[in-house]
Amino acid sequence: MLHLGVMRSPQQLWVDEKAHRAGYADGAALAAAHGLKPYRLEQLYRGATKELVEDVGAISTLPLELRGALGAEGFTLDDVALVTVQHSSDGQTTKGLFRLHDGNEVEAVLMEHHGERNTVCISSQAGCAYACAFCATGQAGFTRNLTATEIFDQARYFAKQLARDGRKVTNIVFMGMGEPFANYDAVMAAVALLNDPKGFGLGHRHITISTVGLVDKIDLFAEAQTQVNLAISLHAASDATRSSMMPVNRKFALAELMDAVERYIAKTKRKVFFEYVMLAGINDSDGDARELARRMKGPLYHVNLIPYNSTPDAAIRGSDPARIWAFAKVLETAGAAVTVRTPMGRDIAAACGQLRAETQPKAHAGERAEIA
Ligand code: SAH
């Protein structure tokens, strides 16, 4: 069924998921029940994804009676319901906590870069099974995969907010809770929804997927030949260090991961971003920088150094700014392309790796990905 999903148009996929949520087998069953012509489904879809209306009642192209009937049976444009919203003190970062139909919760973050870019960071899973030692989501364990519309609707929420003063979401990053490539089909379906020119209409080049490094999925993604950006959470240039903080490295070691990256670059000719969180005394020496530089093989390899954001459980310290800049200098001198990231939203725990729904039960912490 999931593979059939790839064949559906974004609109069909959206209508099927929304109809399903309202208790129908699929969009065809919904259409049959209400005697809807295909253009009615298109009006619904456009209202939700392009016009960004608040709810079914506000889709003015639909007859009032139909709006009332759909609303009454629980047909909703939003699979995520806002629970709370927090704003950083500088006003540039907004974090939303959203409840899913089964009570699970996920977070998503809007980052406004001085009015130039409005980037939304979205979650692909409730929790995460990969247990990276430095990540709050990973410390809490895995609950479930999100559906394509549960992912898309996080972006829709912020798009609606921005639209109120004539602004738009300009970029989407899959850097919220979860491992996007462990929920590959739903994430690619969400990408199709985000990208659809008849709907949300965000260009592939404005979307970035960040992965812990699932080699088989990197190959699949290369074959998909999209223009979507790929980021790899590297965080260490040696297997010993990487395995000590990222259990996934025991399944896909660095050599295997970097081979997959080379295959991806050969196939797509696209740049790959390597995320590298700076941890004091763990991965931040000049030697580590030189080892990292050796793995960066040319202009399509780009390192993003991320200052560590504190998490509730981890007994880990971030590198101080001087060490980060010195590390960047070593990389640069060795010819690697490097950017030092500016953290946003730390004061509301909205920065990279800090997302964790407060209500997420710790009981799930035992559930881990098969990595052995
Ligand atoms: N599962 C995906 C998305 C994770 S979040 C992945 O692993 O790429 C996006 C980025 O934030 C990843 O690079 C992740 O390793 C990083 N990150 C996690 N915890 C962090 C923390 N506490 N401080 C800074 N970056 C962190």
Side-chain angles (χ1 to χ4, degrees):
M1 192 192 119
L2 280 170
H3 289 283
L4 278 176
V6 178
M7 314 286 293
R8 284 177 292 177
S9 71
Q11 181 188 311
Q12 276 174 318
L13 184 134
W14 184 91
V15 173
D16 281 347
E17 283 201 16
K18 296 295 175 186
H20 189 72
R21 186 70 73 227
Y24 294 96
D26 55 20
L30 170 86
H34 291 279
L36 302 179
K37 297 255 170 57
Y39 74 94
R40 290 294 183 207
L41 298 179
E42 201 177 316
Q43 287 169 334
L44 259 179
Y45 173 70
R46 219 178 27 231
T49 63
K50 192 181 175 86
E51 290 148 19
L52 301 169
V53 301
E54 200 53 48
D55 52 34
V56 182
I59 305 182
S60 54
T61 48
L62 294 179
L64 264 179
E65 204 187 321
L66 176 61
R67 289 184 239 170
L70 287 172
E73 67 190 28
F75 187 95
T76 161
L77 304 186
D78 292 289
D79 284 359
V80 301
L82 185 72
V83 181
T84 51
V85 63
Q86 283 173 275
H87 300 276
S88 64
S89 50
D90 65 6
Q92 298 237 84
T93 307
T94 307
K95 179 170 80 168
L97 172 69
F98 300 93
R99 184 164 297 144
L100 311 177
H101 72 94
D102 60 0
N104 277 302
E105 292 179 346
V106 294
E107 292 182 325
V109 179
L110 167 67
M111 289 159 282
E112 297 171 60
H113 300 272
H114 308 287
E116 281 169 24
R117 272 179 299 138
N118 299 311
T119 302
V120 178
C121 173
I122 56 180
S123 294
S124 57
Q125 301 182 308
C128 183
Y130 286 86
C132 297
F134 45 82
C135 176
T137 311
Q139 287 157 25
F142 176 71
T143 308
R144 74 162 169 87
N145 280 330
L146 302 194
T147 65
T149 49
E150 284 170 339
I151 298 169
F152 174 79
D153 288 344
Q154 298 165 52
R156 183 179 123 82
Y157 170 79
F158 287 111
K160 274 188 303 181
Q161 299 302 308
L162 289 167
R164 287 181 182 168
D165 33 55
R167 295 182 301 147
K168 285 186 161 184
V169 171
T170 60
N171 298 79
I172 296 279
V173 295
F174 283 83
M175 293 188 184
M177 296 165 68
E179 167 49 39
F181 279 176
N183 186 16
Y184 188 86
D185 289 342
V187 164
M188 293 308 277
V191 166
L193 285 172
L194 292 167
N195 181 238
D196 187 9
K198 292 184 187 153
F200 200 80
L202 184 69
H204 273 169
R205 287 162 188 271
H206 297 265
I207 302 173
T208 300
I209 298 180
S210 179
T211 178
V212 78
L214 305 187
V215 164
D216 49 338
K217 296 307 189 322
I218 294 171
D219 285 331
L220 256 187
F221 183 65
E223 258 160 54
Q225 290 281 17
T226 69
Q227 308 272 348
V228 172
N229 301 301
L230 177 64
I232 307 277
S233 292
L234 199 64
H235 304 320
S238 77
D239 279 315
T241 305
R242 194 163 192 268
S243 293
S244 74
M245 55 189 185
M246 300 178 71
V248 70
N249 197 66
R250 286 180 239 139
K251 177 160 185 184
F252 298 117
L254 274 171
E256 211 183 327
L257 173 58
M258 297 310 285
D259 282 352
V261 168
E262 280 205 40
R263 289 193 293 277
Y264 171 85
I265 289 179
K267 187 142 212 157
T268 65
K269 312 281 187 287
R270 293 187 60 76
K271 193 181 268 191
V272 174
F273 299 89
F274 294 89
E275 309 292 297
Y276 196 100
V277 60
M278 297 293 295
L279 305 173
I282 296 177
N283 66 356
D284 68 344
S285 71
D286 284 356
D288 293 322
R290 282 190 291 269
E291 207 168 342
L292 177 59
R294 275 196 293 278
R295 295 195 180 272
M296 300 294 110
K297 297 188 182 148
L300 295 178
Y301 289 69
H302 192 107
V303 180
N304 286 322
L305 298 180
I306 314 175
Y308 171 67
N309 302 307
S310 62
T311 69
D313 301 353
I316 289 175
R317 264 188 331 108
S319 313
D320 60 44
R323 178 86 297 264
I324 298 178
W325 288 105
F327 190 94
K329 188 84 205 152
V330 173
L331 278 170
E332 220 170 37
T333 307
V338 55
T339 306
V340 177
R341 288 280 201 86
T342 312
M344 292 181 76
R346 275 179 170 173
D347 58 334
I348 53 168
C352 265
Q354 292 186 316
L355 301 188
R356 167 156 71 174
E358 295 296 330
T359 50
Q360 191 178 324
K362 281 290 280 181
H364 288 290
E367 240 176 281
R368 297 297 188 217
E370 297 285 322
I371 46 135

